[in-house]
Amino acid sequence: MLTAALRDLQWRRRRFLIAIVGTGMVFAMTLVLTGLTNGFRVEAARTVDSLGIDTYLIKTGAAGPFIGSATFPAAELRAVARIPGVQIAVPLVYGSAIIQRGDSPQQANIFGASQRGPGMPAMMAGRAPGAPGELAVSDTLGRGLGDVIEIGSRTMRIVGLVKDSTALSGQPNVFLTVEGAQQLLFSGQPLISSIGIAGQPAHVPQGYRVVDRADAMNDMLRPLNGAYRAMSFMAVLLWVVAALIVGSLIYLSALERTRDFAVFKAVGVTTRAVLAGLALQAVLVAVISALFGGVLSLILGPLFPLRVVVPGSAFVLLPAVAVLIGLLASVAGLRRAVRVDPALAFGGP
């Protein structure tokens, strides 16, 4: 029966090839969607790691040090620095502003930090900003050292470039001094969004709480939760589409091979062997489609305007899921094969 199944694949190779290409494209899009959702997390992790801070002190009512931050007076920094166990305490500012680019203004994430302290990432070119009128930008912005840009209501000069620094689905990160960020975001008021801490504070001041790196990363991802759920739902729908493509192929094959199944049963071939042949066809189509989809996803990923980072686990899991889809998709054909009457082999009804 297995030989017969392989021969049937060879005889109907065009049909099976079309099904493999279609299912492979579905698998590729599933991997790309997985890479997009994973890219959000990779992007946030890179941004948070580049700041070099593992512990943040924020207001009690704030959700995090970035998107969910609540400002408070910068004067609180002195009291925090005197807490036993605190080795370093640095002020941090976060917000967003528009970079004017002719007819296509661009949203940017604004980070304010000390020039040499934690909170300022390493520069791939130039130096960290040291004055309120200076800034460092992600190289993805397409600007160079010495360029003057209009951001918010201010005009500032680029003195440093940070390699591939983006957040919130491709928005470039911009780094200023604390004073520069305060002037840009808070009209010069001495406010900060959080305090970066090194060490283990003996106690937390009343009205504040401490969050770690994981909480900070989740805070950065919070605006993308809706997009993450939508893409996950789309991935599930694509799995269903893949199962339907393979299932319809196997069902049509079973319809065309009705008399073949009757002959097999008439000569004593067990139903289990007949079913094994159909399942083999479905699994082969699904696995080959998965291999084709994996290669295609590597080609399509760089073409997307957003960061696509397909995790290695997805490539490992895809063949296993493909086998499961193949088995589930063959159910319709299996039911058809089971109901075949051996009398058909002799011209019966």
Side-chain angles (χ1 to χ4, degrees):
M1 278 306 303
L2 298 181
T3 302
L6 295 176
R7 286 295 186 183
D8 185 63
L9 285 174
Q10 182 180 6
W11 178 256
R12 297 179 173 86
R13 56 184 177 273
R14 290 185 179 179
R15 181 187 301 175
F16 283 100
L17 180 61
I18 293 173
I20 287 172
V21 172
T23 308
M25 293 184 67
V26 172
F27 283 150
M29 290 306 302
T30 304
L31 287 175
V32 170
L33 281 177
T34 303
L36 283 171
T37 55
N38 185 58
F40 296 157
R41 183 163 293 275
V42 169
E43 191 178 50
R46 287 182 178 178
T47 296
V48 173
D49 289 343
S50 70
L51 302 180
I53 298 173
D54 292 327
T55 305
Y56 298 83
L57 183 75
I58 63 175
K59 293 286 290 184
T60 300
F66 304 120
I67 304 299
S69 62
T71 58
F72 55 91
E76 298 289 338
L77 178 68
R78 298 177 182 176
V80 173
R82 292 195 295 266
I83 296 176
V86 175
Q87 301 172 3
I88 299 175
V90 294
L92 300 171
V93 176
Y94 176 83
S96 63
I98 299 295
I99 297 177
Q100 302 298 334
R101 303 185 65 177
D103 296 333
S104 57
Q106 186 172 8
Q107 187 85 13
N109 306 296
I110 308 300
F111 295 85
S114 303
Q115 182 180 17
R116 295 181 176 83
M120 186 65 67
M123 302 290 139
M124 65 172 288
R127 59 174 176 83
E134 298 176 341
L135 51 75
V137 301
S138 170
D139 64 334
T140 60
L141 191 61
R143 299 297 184 93
L145 296 176
D147 288 354
V148 175
I149 65 174
E150 184 179 352
I151 178 168
S153 59
R154 305 190 64 208
T155 300
M156 309 182 75
R157 183 168 60 91
I158 299 175
V159 297
L161 296 176
V162 184
K163 183 174 179 59
D164 195 19
S165 182
T166 60
L168 298 177
S169 186
Q171 293 182 13
N173 295 332
V174 174
F175 301 90
L176 295 79
T177 62
V178 173
E179 294 79 8
Q182 289 171 340
Q183 292 178 14
L184 177 63
L185 301 173
F186 309 138
S187 300
Q189 298 182 68
L191 301 173
I192 56 178
S193 304
S194 64
I195 296 176
I197 296 176
Q200 295 292 331
H203 66 274
V204 178
Q206 185 176 3
Y208 294 86
R209 67 186 183 96
V210 172
V211 297
D212 59 12
R213 172 189 172 277
D215 291 329
M217 191 171 70
N218 290 333
D219 181 47
M220 183 70 73
L221 288 169
R222 185 171 291 106
L224 301 175
N225 286 339
Y228 182 87
R229 289 194 297 269
M231 289 184 180
S232 299
F233 181 70
M234 286 296 299
V236 173
L237 291 180
L238 287 173
W239 289 124
V240 174
V241 170
L244 291 175
I245 293 175
V246 179
S248 61
L249 175 70
I250 299 303
Y251 183 70
L252 289 175
S253 177
L255 287 178
E256 294 177 352
R257 298 177 64 196
T258 299
R259 190 168 295 276
D260 294 343
F261 295 147
V263 172
F264 290 143
K265 288 186 176 183
V267 298
V269 176
T270 63
T271 301
R272 180 179 298 179
V274 174
L275 302 183
L278 282 176
L280 175 64
Q281 288 183 335
V283 169
L284 281 177
V285 171
V287 170
I288 296 175
S289 299
L291 296 176
F292 173 68
V295 175
L296 187 60
S297 68
L298 297 177
I299 299 174
L300 295 177
L303 302 179
F304 276 68
L306 300 178
R307 189 189 303 270
V308 178
V309 184
V310 182
S313 58
F315 289 106
V316 175
L317 186 62
L318 182 60
V321 175
V323 171
L324 179 61
I325 286 178
L327 293 175
L328 293 176
S330 64
V331 170
L334 299 180
R335 288 171 57 87
R336 178 68 181 179
V338 169
R339 295 175 180 177
V340 171
D341 188 349
L344 288 176
F346 308 101

